Structure formats: C-alpha cells, structure tokens
Amino acid sequence: MADIRITGRMVNFTRLIFDTNDHDAIRQQLSAMMAETSYQGALVVLDSTVEQELIALIQLLISLDLQPMGVIDGILSEQAQAIQFPILPSDRPLQRIKATKEQVVAAPTTASPAHDNTDAPSKVTQQHTTVSHITSYHDEILRTGQCLVQDHGDIILNAGINSGSEVIASGNIHIYGSVRGRVIAGAGGNSAARIFCHSLEAELVSIAGTYCVADDIPTEFIKKSVHIYLNDQQELEFSVLQF
C-alpha cells in the first residue's frame, strides 16, 4: 500500500491587496471588515502595491484569525523567497466596475451613556448607524475583463455576464440573463448564500468556497434557469427553476 495518497479538496482563497504599509491602519480596517462579515479563519493570499515587511504583515494577519497562504508574485516576492513562503503567479487583474445602483440597509447601534460619580444628569444616549446589508443592482451586461463585487450583501444583475467576467458577493447572486463567466456567492464563508440565473453556461460557480467548473456542471442544467445552493453535506446542488 502506498504511503502517499493524492486527493482533491475545494478551498476558497481571499486575495488581500494592500495599498499601505501602515500596519495600524491595516489592523483597524481589517478588524472593521471582519466585524461585519464572516472572514474569520479565511485563507488569504497577499498582494501589495507598496513595499512592506512581509513577516510582520503575516504575523498581523494571523493575530486577526486569518491564514496567510502565499503572496502574489511582485513586490513581496523577494522577501517570500527568503523565508520560503509560497509565491503565486500574478494574473491580469479584472476591471472592477461600479454597480448601477446600490440599496443600503442600515442598522442603528446605541452607545451607552458615560458614567461618573457626580449627581449631574447622564449624557444623552447617542445612536450610530452602521451598514448591515447592501444590495447592488446592475443593468448592463458584464463584459469580458469586468468584475462586479459586493462585500456586504447581494448582487442582482438585470442582464447577463460574458465569458471572462466575474461576479462576487458575500450574499446571494441573481442574474436575469445568460451566465458565461464566473459566479462566486457566499464569499467569506456564507454557506447560506444562493445563486439564481436565467441561463446557466458558466465557467465556474462557487458558494462559500465550494465550486464547480464548466466541465463538471451537469449537462441537464446547461442553458436552463437554475437555482444553486449548498446541501447539508456542503455540496453544490443544482435545480431547475419552474416558472
């Protein structure tokens, strides 16, 4: 019997792009992002547009309960090579476009009044509004080389997406047109996210890191109106939408 076995596992990597080497600012921004989403324990690949100390950055991310897995070939490559940290080839970045419209659902949070030892009346309680969910609406076809991303909610496209384009949402994705690119719902680990599309011809579909490429999509669902979700075994399920 062989001592080494090769198996496959579907995993989801999040790419972090750093435009600053101020680690206090990075900690503050990542902490705020992680408070609103489910990125704890996420596998992350590091990319940077500025010089910075890689080991310190890795330690910072680990302290935030993220798992650095490698760097994108570029500014950080020399440091990564010195510590034998994995280096991933760079790719041609997609053009991130802005949605036609966004609907923000905000939840008020109450700040407790300050307490002191005087008999003076307590200060008035203040309410701060924080964004809890955003729905992005897009009315145009997503063209090759374009990417539409919503980190805090759902995406609804009223047209299709071409091959070589990408849609990414932390929540659900609805596409009322032909899907020929990549559709990634539940980014960050939301296993309750779902994908709905009018005509499925995708290069890849993914929910919470579980993915299926074009060659593995069951043929009976190709060019059909389809609902995609994760079952209890965290496997992708496809079902034809009935109208």
Side-chain angles (χ1 to χ4, degrees):
M1 181 177 179
D3 295 322
I4 299 175
R5 291 179 293 161
I6 298 175
T7 61
R9 183 182 178 187
M10 292 177 287
V11 295
N12 182 44
F13 291 93
T14 298
R15 181 171 178 169
L16 295 179
I17 303 175
F18 301 96
D19 295 321
T20 178
N21 54 16
D22 182 343
H23 286 191
D24 289 335
I26 291 172
R27 177 182 293 276
Q28 183 178 7
Q29 292 180 41
L30 280 176
S31 297
M33 291 170 58
M34 294 173 67
E36 298 174 359
T37 56
S38 53
Y39 283 114
Q40 283 78 9
L43 305 177
V44 294
V45 176
L46 318 182
D47 196 0
S48 183
T49 61
V50 296
E51 293 282 355
Q52 59 183 298
E53 187 180 346
L54 177 58
I55 292 178
L57 181 60
I58 291 172
Q59 292 172 338
L60 168 61
L61 297 175
I62 291 174
S63 73
L64 293 173
D65 196 23
L66 295 170
Q67 301 182 55
M69 302 300 294
V71 303
I72 299 296
D73 191 12
I75 289 176
L76 299 176
S77 297
E78 187 174 339
Q79 293 183 69
Q81 189 174 18
I83 63 173
Q84 297 184 331
F85 195 59
I87 301 173
L88 283 68
S90 59
D91 53 13
R92 183 180 178 183
L94 298 178
Q95 176 193 5
R96 184 164 173 168
I97 65 170
K98 186 176 181 180
T100 306
K101 177 185 175 183
E102 288 187 345
Q103 180 181 22
V104 179
V105 177
T109 57
T110 302
S112 301
H115 295 286
D116 54 38
N117 295 323
T118 68
D119 294 329
S122 61
K123 295 181 180 179
V124 176
T125 300
Q126 295 182 340
Q127 282 194 339
H128 302 284
T129 300
T130 58
V131 173
S132 59
H133 190 90
I134 302 175
T135 301
S136 292
Y137 300 89
H138 196 61
D139 297 330
E140 299 178 357
I141 291 176
L142 206 62
R143 304 193 182 281
T144 300
Q146 292 183 328
C147 179
L148 185 62
V149 180
Q150 179 47 259
D151 295 320
H152 305 289
D154 304 335
I155 292 178
I156 299 176
L157 290 100
N158 293 323
I161 68 171
N162 289 345
S163 60
S165 65
E166 192 169 75
V167 182
I168 304 174
S170 63
N172 306 308
I173 297 176
H174 304 251
I175 303 176
Y176 298 102
S178 297
V179 176
R180 298 187 176 93
R182 297 180 293 276
V183 185
I184 301 167
N190 179 7
S191 59
R194 296 177 179 238
I195 297 171
F196 303 85
C197 65
H198 180 70
S199 179
L200 180 63
E201 305 170 56
E203 297 169 342
L204 175 144
V205 293
S206 172
I207 298 177
T210 299
Y211 69 91
C212 184
V213 296
D215 291 343
D216 295 328
I217 295 175
T219 55
E220 62 266 31
F221 298 107
I222 299 298
K223 295 187 178 181
K224 299 289 181 62
S225 295
V226 175
H227 168 208
I228 308 169
Y229 59 95
L230 291 178
N231 61 22
D232 293 339
Q233 289 73 45
Q234 299 300 293
E235 301 167 335
L236 286 176
E237 288 277 352
F238 297 76
S239 65
V240 175
L241 289 170
Q242 304 294 334
F243 296 101

PDB file of all heavy atoms in Angstrom, residues 64-98:
ATOM      1  N   LEU A  64      -5.241  38.306  13.618  1.00  0.00           N
ATOM      2  CA  LEU A  64      -6.639  38.626  13.315  1.00  0.00           C
ATOM      3  C   LEU A  64      -7.433  37.381  12.921  1.00  0.00           C
ATOM      4  O   LEU A  64      -8.551  37.487  12.413  1.00  0.00           O
ATOM      5  CB  LEU A  64      -6.698  39.656  12.191  1.00  0.00           C
ATOM      6  CG  LEU A  64      -6.164  41.052  12.539  1.00  0.00           C
ATOM      7  CD1 LEU A  64      -6.110  41.935  11.303  1.00  0.00           C
ATOM      8  CD2 LEU A  64      -7.008  41.702  13.623  1.00  0.00           C
ATOM      9  N   ASP A  65      -6.851  36.195  13.140  1.00  0.00           N
ATOM     10  CA  ASP A  65      -7.502  34.921  12.830  1.00  0.00           C
ATOM     11  C   ASP A  65      -7.696  34.711  11.335  1.00  0.00           C
ATOM     12  O   ASP A  65      -8.681  34.130  10.888  1.00  0.00           O
ATOM     13  CB  ASP A  65      -8.849  34.806  13.557  1.00  0.00           C
ATOM     14  CG  ASP A  65      -9.363  33.360  13.585  1.00  0.00           C
ATOM     15  OD1 ASP A  65      -8.535  32.433  13.458  1.00  0.00           O
ATOM     16  OD2 ASP A  65     -10.589  33.160  13.726  1.00  0.00           O
ATOM     17  N   LEU A  66      -6.724  35.211  10.543  1.00  0.00           N
ATOM     18  CA  LEU A  66      -6.667  34.904   9.123  1.00  0.00           C
ATOM     19  C   LEU A  66      -5.501  33.945   8.888  1.00  0.00           C
ATOM     20  O   LEU A  66      -4.596  33.850   9.711  1.00  0.00           O
ATOM     21  CB  LEU A  66      -6.481  36.182   8.302  1.00  0.00           C
ATOM     22  CG  LEU A  66      -7.641  37.180   8.372  1.00  0.00           C
ATOM     23  CD1 LEU A  66      -7.260  38.498   7.720  1.00  0.00           C
ATOM     24  CD2 LEU A  66      -8.894  36.617   7.721  1.00  0.00           C
ATOM     25  N   GLN A  67      -5.522  33.234   7.765  1.00  0.00           N
ATOM     26  CA  GLN A  67      -4.495  32.240   7.477  1.00  0.00           C
ATOM     27  C   GLN A  67      -3.757  32.590   6.180  1.00  0.00           C
ATOM     28  O   GLN A  67      -4.207  32.228   5.092  1.00  0.00           O
ATOM     29  CB  GLN A  67      -5.120  30.848   7.359  1.00  0.00           C
ATOM     30  CG  GLN A  67      -5.850  30.388   8.611  1.00  0.00           C
ATOM     31  CD  GLN A  67      -6.392  28.987   8.457  1.00  0.00           C
ATOM     32  OE1 GLN A  67      -5.662  28.040   8.138  1.00  0.00           O
ATOM     33  NE2 GLN A  67      -7.692  28.833   8.662  1.00  0.00           N
ATOM     34  N   PRO A  68      -2.644  33.306   6.261  1.00  0.00           N
ATOM     35  CA  PRO A  68      -1.883  33.643   5.052  1.00  0.00           C
ATOM     36  C   PRO A  68      -1.304  32.386   4.403  1.00  0.00           C
ATOM     37  O   PRO A  68      -0.653  31.585   5.068  1.00  0.00           O
ATOM     38  CB  PRO A  68      -0.770  34.559   5.578  1.00  0.00           C
ATOM     39  CG  PRO A  68      -1.242  35.027   6.922  1.00  0.00           C
ATOM     40  CD  PRO A  68      -2.058  33.899   7.471  1.00  0.00           C
ATOM     41  N   MET A  69      -1.532  32.242   3.085  1.00  0.00           N
ATOM     42  CA  MET A  69      -1.115  31.031   2.381  1.00  0.00           C
ATOM     43  C   MET A  69      -0.056  31.293   1.315  1.00  0.00           C
ATOM     44  O   MET A  69       0.532  30.364   0.786  1.00  0.00           O
ATOM     45  CB  MET A  69      -2.331  30.371   1.721  1.00  0.00           C
ATOM     46  CG  MET A  69      -3.440  30.010   2.700  1.00  0.00           C
ATOM     47  SD  MET A  69      -2.902  28.864   3.982  1.00  0.00           S
ATOM     48  CE  MET A  69      -2.571  27.409   3.003  1.00  0.00           C
ATOM     49  N   GLY A  70       0.206  32.558   0.986  1.00  0.00           N
ATOM     50  CA  GLY A  70       1.184  32.857  -0.044  1.00  0.00           C
ATOM     51  C   GLY A  70       1.084  34.311  -0.457  1.00  0.00           C
ATOM     52  O   GLY A  70       0.242  35.058   0.050  1.00  0.00           O
ATOM     53  N   VAL A  71       1.963  34.709  -1.374  1.00  0.00           N
ATOM     54  CA  VAL A  71       1.932  36.067  -1.909  1.00  0.00           C
ATOM     55  C   VAL A  71       1.822  36.003  -3.429  1.00  0.00           C
ATOM     56  O   VAL A  71       2.237  35.027  -4.053  1.00  0.00           O
ATOM     57  CB  VAL A  71       3.195  36.870  -1.513  1.00  0.00           C
ATOM     58  CG1 VAL A  71       3.362  36.929  -0.004  1.00  0.00           C
ATOM     59  CG2 VAL A  71       4.449  36.294  -2.180  1.00  0.00           C
ATOM     60  N   ILE A  72       1.259  37.054  -4.005  1.00  0.00           N
ATOM     61  CA  ILE A  72       1.233  37.194  -5.447  1.00  0.00           C
ATOM     62  C   ILE A  72       2.605  37.690  -5.899  1.00  0.00           C
ATOM     63  O   ILE A  72       3.196  38.574  -5.283  1.00  0.00           O
ATOM     64  CB  ILE A  72       0.137  38.173  -5.894  1.00  0.00           C
ATOM     65  CG1 ILE A  72      -1.250  37.654  -5.470  1.00  0.00           C
ATOM     66  CG2 ILE A  72       0.178  38.390  -7.401  1.00  0.00           C
ATOM     67  CD1 ILE A  72      -1.652  36.353  -6.121  1.00  0.00           C
ATOM     68  N   ASP A  73       3.118  37.114  -6.949  1.00  0.00           N
ATOM     69  CA  ASP A  73       4.434  37.495  -7.462  1.00  0.00           C
ATOM     70  C   ASP A  73       4.479  38.999  -7.732  1.00  0.00           C
ATOM     71  O   ASP A  73       3.659  39.528  -8.477  1.00  0.00           O
ATOM     72  CB  ASP A  73       4.721  36.716  -8.752  1.00  0.00           C
ATOM     73  CG  ASP A  73       6.170  36.862  -9.193  1.00  0.00           C
ATOM     74  OD1 ASP A  73       6.988  37.366  -8.405  1.00  0.00           O
ATOM     75  OD2 ASP A  73       6.469  36.465 -10.335  1.00  0.00           O
ATOM     76  N   GLY A  74       5.428  39.680  -7.084  1.00  0.00           N
ATOM     77  CA  GLY A  74       5.516  41.124  -7.224  1.00  0.00           C
ATOM     78  C   GLY A  74       6.432  41.706  -6.168  1.00  0.00           C
ATOM     79  O   GLY A  74       7.512  41.154  -5.893  1.00  0.00           O
ATOM     80  N   ILE A  75       5.996  42.769  -5.537  1.00  0.00           N
ATOM     81  CA  ILE A  75       6.817  43.486  -4.567  1.00  0.00           C
ATOM     82  C   ILE A  75       7.259  42.601  -3.398  1.00  0.00           C
ATOM     83  O   ILE A  75       8.377  42.726  -2.893  1.00  0.00           O
ATOM     84  CB  ILE A  75       6.051  44.729  -4.050  1.00  0.00           C
ATOM     85  CG1 ILE A  75       5.955  45.779  -5.157  1.00  0.00           C
ATOM     86  CG2 ILE A  75       6.717  45.329  -2.814  1.00  0.00           C
ATOM     87  CD1 ILE A  75       5.144  47.004  -4.792  1.00  0.00           C
ATOM     88  N   LEU A  76       6.408  41.681  -2.980  1.00  0.00           N
ATOM     89  CA  LEU A  76       6.702  40.856  -1.801  1.00  0.00           C
ATOM     90  C   LEU A  76       7.480  39.582  -2.132  1.00  0.00           C
ATOM     91  O   LEU A  76       7.836  38.824  -1.227  1.00  0.00           O
ATOM     92  CB  LEU A  76       5.398  40.476  -1.089  1.00  0.00           C
ATOM     93  CG  LEU A  76       4.550  41.637  -0.568  1.00  0.00           C
ATOM     94  CD1 LEU A  76       3.249  41.120   0.028  1.00  0.00           C
ATOM     95  CD2 LEU A  76       5.315  42.447   0.465  1.00  0.00           C
ATOM     96  N   SER A  77       7.772  39.345  -3.403  1.00  0.00           N
ATOM     97  CA  SER A  77       8.347  38.066  -3.820  1.00  0.00           C
ATOM     98  C   SER A  77       9.720  37.797  -3.205  1.00  0.00           C
ATOM     99  O   SER A  77      10.008  36.669  -2.763  1.00  0.00           O
ATOM    100  CB  SER A  77       8.451  38.009  -5.343  1.00  0.00           C
ATOM    101  OG  SER A  77       7.181  38.075  -5.936  1.00  0.00           O
ATOM    102  N   GLU A  78      10.592  38.790  -3.184  1.00  0.00           N
ATOM    103  CA  GLU A  78      11.948  38.574  -2.687  1.00  0.00           C
ATOM    104  C   GLU A  78      11.942  38.182  -1.213  1.00  0.00           C
ATOM    105  O   GLU A  78      12.648  37.250  -0.802  1.00  0.00           O
ATOM    106  CB  GLU A  78      12.778  39.845  -2.888  1.00  0.00           C
ATOM    107  CG  GLU A  78      14.260  39.671  -2.550  1.00  0.00           C
ATOM    108  CD  GLU A  78      15.088  40.895  -2.903  1.00  0.00           C
ATOM    109  OE1 GLU A  78      14.646  41.695  -3.748  1.00  0.00           O
ATOM    110  OE2 GLU A  78      16.185  41.028  -2.329  1.00  0.00           O
ATOM    111  N   GLN A  79      11.113  38.861  -0.414  1.00  0.00           N
ATOM    112  CA  GLN A  79      11.011  38.504   0.999  1.00  0.00           C
ATOM    113  C   GLN A  79      10.402  37.113   1.173  1.00  0.00           C
ATOM    114  O   GLN A  79      10.822  36.339   2.032  1.00  0.00           O
ATOM    115  CB  GLN A  79      10.156  39.527   1.736  1.00  0.00           C
ATOM    116  CG  GLN A  79      10.751  40.915   1.830  1.00  0.00           C
ATOM    117  CD  GLN A  79       9.871  41.834   2.642  1.00  0.00           C
ATOM    118  OE1 GLN A  79       9.734  41.678   3.855  1.00  0.00           O
ATOM    119  NE2 GLN A  79       9.250  42.810   1.967  1.00  0.00           N
ATOM    120  N   ALA A  80       9.395  36.805   0.356  1.00  0.00           N
ATOM    121  CA  ALA A  80       8.751  35.495   0.440  1.00  0.00           C
ATOM    122  C   ALA A  80       9.738  34.381   0.104  1.00  0.00           C
ATOM    123  O   ALA A  80       9.778  33.332   0.760  1.00  0.00           O
ATOM    124  CB  ALA A  80       7.547  35.448  -0.496  1.00  0.00           C
ATOM    125  N   GLN A  81      10.545  34.600  -0.928  1.00  0.00           N
ATOM    126  CA  GLN A  81      11.537  33.604  -1.313  1.00  0.00           C
ATOM    127  C   GLN A  81      12.549  33.389  -0.195  1.00  0.00           C
ATOM    128  O   GLN A  81      12.967  32.248   0.064  1.00  0.00           O
ATOM    129  CB  GLN A  81      12.241  34.059  -2.590  1.00  0.00           C
ATOM    130  CG  GLN A  81      13.148  33.006  -3.210  1.00  0.00           C
ATOM    131  CD  GLN A  81      13.698  33.455  -4.547  1.00  0.00           C
ATOM    132  OE1 GLN A  81      13.693  34.639  -4.874  1.00  0.00           O
ATOM    133  NE2 GLN A  81      14.167  32.511  -5.345  1.00  0.00           N
ATOM    134  N   ALA A  82      12.930  34.455   0.504  1.00  0.00           N
ATOM    135  CA  ALA A  82      13.923  34.355   1.580  1.00  0.00           C
ATOM    136  C   ALA A  82      13.426  33.505   2.747  1.00  0.00           C
ATOM    137  O   ALA A  82      14.218  32.846   3.423  1.00  0.00           O
ATOM    138  CB  ALA A  82      14.301  35.754   2.068  1.00  0.00           C
ATOM    139  N   ILE A  83      12.109  33.504   2.995  1.00  0.00           N
ATOM    140  CA  ILE A  83      11.561  32.720   4.113  1.00  0.00           C
ATOM    141  C   ILE A  83      10.825  31.473   3.608  1.00  0.00           C
ATOM    142  O   ILE A  83      10.112  30.819   4.359  1.00  0.00           O
ATOM    143  CB  ILE A  83      10.632  33.573   4.988  1.00  0.00           C
ATOM    144  CG1 ILE A  83       9.415  34.056   4.198  1.00  0.00           C
ATOM    145  CG2 ILE A  83      11.386  34.747   5.599  1.00  0.00           C
ATOM    146  CD1 ILE A  83       8.371  34.775   5.046  1.00  0.00           C
ATOM    147  N   GLN A  84      10.990  31.176   2.317  1.00  0.00           N
ATOM    148  CA  GLN A  84      10.372  30.011   1.688  1.00  0.00           C
ATOM    149  C   GLN A  84       8.844  30.017   1.846  1.00  0.00           C
ATOM    150  O   GLN A  84       8.215  29.000   2.115  1.00  0.00           O
ATOM    151  CB  GLN A  84      10.967  28.711   2.262  1.00  0.00           C
ATOM    152  CG  GLN A  84      12.460  28.571   1.976  1.00  0.00           C
ATOM    153  CD  GLN A  84      13.037  27.245   2.441  1.00  0.00           C
ATOM    154  OE1 GLN A  84      12.552  26.641   3.392  1.00  0.00           O
ATOM    155  NE2 GLN A  84      14.057  26.780   1.760  1.00  0.00           N
ATOM    156  N   PHE A  85       8.275  31.188   1.654  1.00  0.00           N
ATOM    157  CA  PHE A  85       6.828  31.362   1.690  1.00  0.00           C
ATOM    158  C   PHE A  85       6.315  31.262   0.254  1.00  0.00           C
ATOM    159  O   PHE A  85       6.935  31.803  -0.670  1.00  0.00           O
ATOM    160  CB  PHE A  85       6.493  32.735   2.287  1.00  0.00           C
ATOM    161  CG  PHE A  85       5.070  32.911   2.706  1.00  0.00           C
ATOM    162  CD1 PHE A  85       4.492  32.086   3.655  1.00  0.00           C
ATOM    163  CD2 PHE A  85       4.296  33.933   2.160  1.00  0.00           C
ATOM    164  CE1 PHE A  85       3.173  32.265   4.055  1.00  0.00           C
ATOM    165  CE2 PHE A  85       2.980  34.120   2.536  1.00  0.00           C
ATOM    166  CZ  PHE A  85       2.421  33.282   3.495  1.00  0.00           C
ATOM    167  N   PRO A  86       5.212  30.561   0.024  1.00  0.00           N
ATOM    168  CA  PRO A  86       4.743  30.321  -1.347  1.00  0.00           C
ATOM    169  C   PRO A  86       4.519  31.609  -2.138  1.00  0.00           C
ATOM    170  O   PRO A  86       4.040  32.618  -1.614  1.00  0.00           O
ATOM    171  CB  PRO A  86       3.425  29.578  -1.137  1.00  0.00           C
ATOM    172  CG  PRO A  86       3.587  28.899   0.187  1.00  0.00           C
ATOM    173  CD  PRO A  86       4.385  29.851   1.017  1.00  0.00           C
ATOM    174  N   ILE A  87       4.878  31.553  -3.433  1.00  0.00           N
ATOM    175  CA  ILE A  87       4.691  32.674  -4.350  1.00  0.00           C
ATOM    176  C   ILE A  87       3.782  32.210  -5.482  1.00  0.00           C
ATOM    177  O   ILE A  87       4.087  31.231  -6.169  1.00  0.00           O
ATOM    178  CB  ILE A  87       6.028  33.166  -4.918  1.00  0.00           C
ATOM    179  CG1 ILE A  87       6.965  33.597  -3.783  1.00  0.00           C
ATOM    180  CG2 ILE A  87       5.817  34.313  -5.892  1.00  0.00           C
ATOM    181  CD1 ILE A  87       8.369  33.935  -4.245  1.00  0.00           C
ATOM    182  N   LEU A  88       2.664  32.889  -5.668  1.00  0.00           N
ATOM    183  CA  LEU A  88       1.712  32.549  -6.720  1.00  0.00           C
ATOM    184  C   LEU A  88       1.916  33.470  -7.917  1.00  0.00           C
ATOM    185  O   LEU A  88       2.224  34.648  -7.738  1.00  0.00           O
ATOM    186  CB  LEU A  88       0.273  32.678  -6.217  1.00  0.00           C
ATOM    187  CG  LEU A  88      -0.264  31.564  -5.311  1.00  0.00           C
ATOM    188  CD1 LEU A  88       0.431  31.556  -3.961  1.00  0.00           C
ATOM    189  CD2 LEU A  88      -1.764  31.709  -5.114  1.00  0.00           C
ATOM    190  N   PRO A  89       1.759  32.952  -9.115  1.00  0.00           N
ATOM    191  CA  PRO A  89       1.955  33.811 -10.297  1.00  0.00           C
ATOM    192  C   PRO A  89       0.930  34.928 -10.339  1.00  0.00           C
ATOM    193  O   PRO A  89      -0.221  34.754  -9.922  1.00  0.00           O
ATOM    194  CB  PRO A  89       1.786  32.838 -11.467  1.00  0.00           C
ATOM    195  CG  PRO A  89       0.999  31.695 -10.914  1.00  0.00           C
ATOM    196  CD  PRO A  89       1.387  31.576  -9.479  1.00  0.00           C
ATOM    197  N   SER A  90       1.370  36.078 -10.842  1.00  0.00           N
ATOM    198  CA  SER A  90       0.449  37.203 -10.984  1.00  0.00           C
ATOM    199  C   SER A  90      -0.505  36.938 -12.133  1.00  0.00           C
ATOM    200  O   SER A  90      -0.222  36.144 -13.029  1.00  0.00           O
ATOM    201  CB  SER A  90       1.231  38.505 -11.221  1.00  0.00           C
ATOM    202  OG  SER A  90       2.019  38.390 -12.397  1.00  0.00           O
ATOM    203  N   ASP A  91      -1.623  37.596 -12.103  1.00  0.00           N
ATOM    204  CA  ASP A  91      -2.597  37.435 -13.174  1.00  0.00           C
ATOM    205  C   ASP A  91      -3.016  38.806 -13.686  1.00  0.00           C
ATOM    206  O   ASP A  91      -2.678  39.833 -13.112  1.00  0.00           O
ATOM    207  CB  ASP A  91      -3.822  36.646 -12.690  1.00  0.00           C
ATOM    208  CG  ASP A  91      -4.435  37.250 -11.437  1.00  0.00           C
ATOM    209  OD1 ASP A  91      -4.072  38.404 -11.079  1.00  0.00           O
ATOM    210  OD2 ASP A  91      -5.269  36.589 -10.818  1.00  0.00           O
ATOM    211  N   ARG A  92      -3.736  38.768 -14.758  1.00  0.00           N
ATOM    212  CA  ARG A  92      -4.223  40.016 -15.329  1.00  0.00           C
ATOM    213  C   ARG A  92      -5.450  40.449 -14.541  1.00  0.00           C
ATOM    214  O   ARG A  92      -6.473  39.766 -14.542  1.00  0.00           O
ATOM    215  CB  ARG A  92      -4.584  39.813 -16.798  1.00  0.00           C
ATOM    216  CG  ARG A  92      -5.039  41.092 -17.493  1.00  0.00           C
ATOM    217  CD  ARG A  92      -5.374  40.813 -18.945  1.00  0.00           C
ATOM    218  NE  ARG A  92      -5.851  42.006 -19.615  1.00  0.00           N
ATOM    219  CZ  ARG A  92      -6.273  42.031 -20.873  1.00  0.00           C
ATOM    220  NH1 ARG A  92      -6.257  40.902 -21.592  1.00  0.00           N
ATOM    221  NH2 ARG A  92      -6.706  43.145 -21.415  1.00  0.00           N
ATOM    222  N   PRO A  93      -5.366  41.568 -13.835  1.00  0.00           N
ATOM    223  CA  PRO A  93      -6.495  41.976 -12.996  1.00  0.00           C
ATOM    224  C   PRO A  93      -7.719  42.347 -13.822  1.00  0.00           C
ATOM    225  O   PRO A  93      -7.612  42.911 -14.917  1.00  0.00           O
ATOM    226  CB  PRO A  93      -5.955  43.188 -12.235  1.00  0.00           C
ATOM    227  CG  PRO A  93      -4.873  43.732 -13.113  1.00  0.00           C
ATOM    228  CD  PRO A  93      -4.266  42.539 -13.804  1.00  0.00           C
ATOM    229  N   LEU A  94      -8.891  42.014 -13.279  1.00  0.00           N
ATOM    230  CA  LEU A  94     -10.127  42.419 -13.921  1.00  0.00           C
ATOM    231  C   LEU A  94     -10.433  43.874 -13.571  1.00  0.00           C
ATOM    232  O   LEU A  94      -9.985  44.395 -12.543  1.00  0.00           O
ATOM    233  CB  LEU A  94     -11.282  41.524 -13.445  1.00  0.00           C
ATOM    234  CG  LEU A  94     -11.170  40.030 -13.774  1.00  0.00           C
ATOM    235  CD1 LEU A  94     -12.358  39.281 -13.194  1.00  0.00           C
ATOM    236  CD2 LEU A  94     -11.086  39.793 -15.264  1.00  0.00           C
ATOM    237  N   GLN A  95     -11.190  44.506 -14.426  1.00  0.00           N
ATOM    238  CA  GLN A  95     -11.616  45.881 -14.172  1.00  0.00           C
ATOM    239  C   GLN A  95     -12.830  45.856 -13.258  1.00  0.00           C
ATOM    240  O   GLN A  95     -13.898  45.383 -13.628  1.00  0.00           O
ATOM    241  CB  GLN A  95     -11.968  46.588 -15.486  1.00  0.00           C
ATOM    242  CG  GLN A  95     -12.514  47.994 -15.291  1.00  0.00           C
ATOM    243  CD  GLN A  95     -13.154  48.557 -16.539  1.00  0.00           C
ATOM    244  OE1 GLN A  95     -13.285  47.854 -17.549  1.00  0.00           O
ATOM    245  NE2 GLN A  95     -13.574  49.807 -16.478  1.00  0.00           N
ATOM    246  N   ARG A  96     -12.653  46.353 -12.045  1.00  0.00           N
ATOM    247  CA  ARG A  96     -13.755  46.372 -11.096  1.00  0.00           C
ATOM    248  C   ARG A  96     -14.661  47.559 -11.403  1.00  0.00           C
ATOM    249  O   ARG A  96     -14.220  48.701 -11.387  1.00  0.00           O
ATOM    250  CB  ARG A  96     -13.229  46.457  -9.668  1.00  0.00           C
ATOM    251  CG  ARG A  96     -14.318  46.374  -8.603  1.00  0.00           C
ATOM    252  CD  ARG A  96     -13.723  46.069  -7.255  1.00  0.00           C
ATOM    253  NE  ARG A  96     -14.710  46.140  -6.198  1.00  0.00           N
ATOM    254  CZ  ARG A  96     -14.509  45.705  -4.953  1.00  0.00           C
ATOM    255  NH1 ARG A  96     -13.332  45.186  -4.619  1.00  0.00           N
ATOM    256  NH2 ARG A  96     -15.447  45.797  -4.034  1.00  0.00           N
ATOM    257  N   ILE A  97     -15.913  47.272 -11.715  1.00  0.00           N
ATOM    258  CA  ILE A  97     -16.834  48.328 -12.102  1.00  0.00           C
ATOM    259  C   ILE A  97     -17.811  48.622 -10.971  1.00  0.00           C
ATOM    260  O   ILE A  97     -17.966  47.838 -10.033  1.00  0.00           O
ATOM    261  CB  ILE A  97     -17.607  47.953 -13.383  1.00  0.00           C
ATOM    262  CG1 ILE A  97     -18.522  46.749 -13.125  1.00  0.00           C
ATOM    263  CG2 ILE A  97     -16.653  47.675 -14.531  1.00  0.00           C
ATOM    264  CD1 ILE A  97     -19.475  46.471 -14.259  1.00  0.00           C
ATOM    265  N   LYS A  98     -18.464  49.750 -11.080  1.00  0.00           N
ATOM    266  CA  LYS A  98     -19.425  50.181 -10.084  1.00  0.00           C
ATOM    267  C   LYS A  98     -20.821  49.770 -10.509  1.00  0.00           C
ATOM    268  O   LYS A  98     -21.194  49.897 -11.681  1.00  0.00           O
ATOM    269  CB  LYS A  98     -19.349  51.699  -9.903  1.00  0.00           C
ATOM    270  CG  LYS A  98     -20.212  52.235  -8.779  1.00  0.00           C
ATOM    271  CD  LYS A  98     -20.014  53.739  -8.607  1.00  0.00           C
ATOM    272  CE  LYS A  98     -20.871  54.266  -7.467  1.00  0.00           C
ATOM    273  NZ  LYS A  98     -20.677  55.736  -7.284  1.00  0.00           N
TER     274      LYS A  98
END
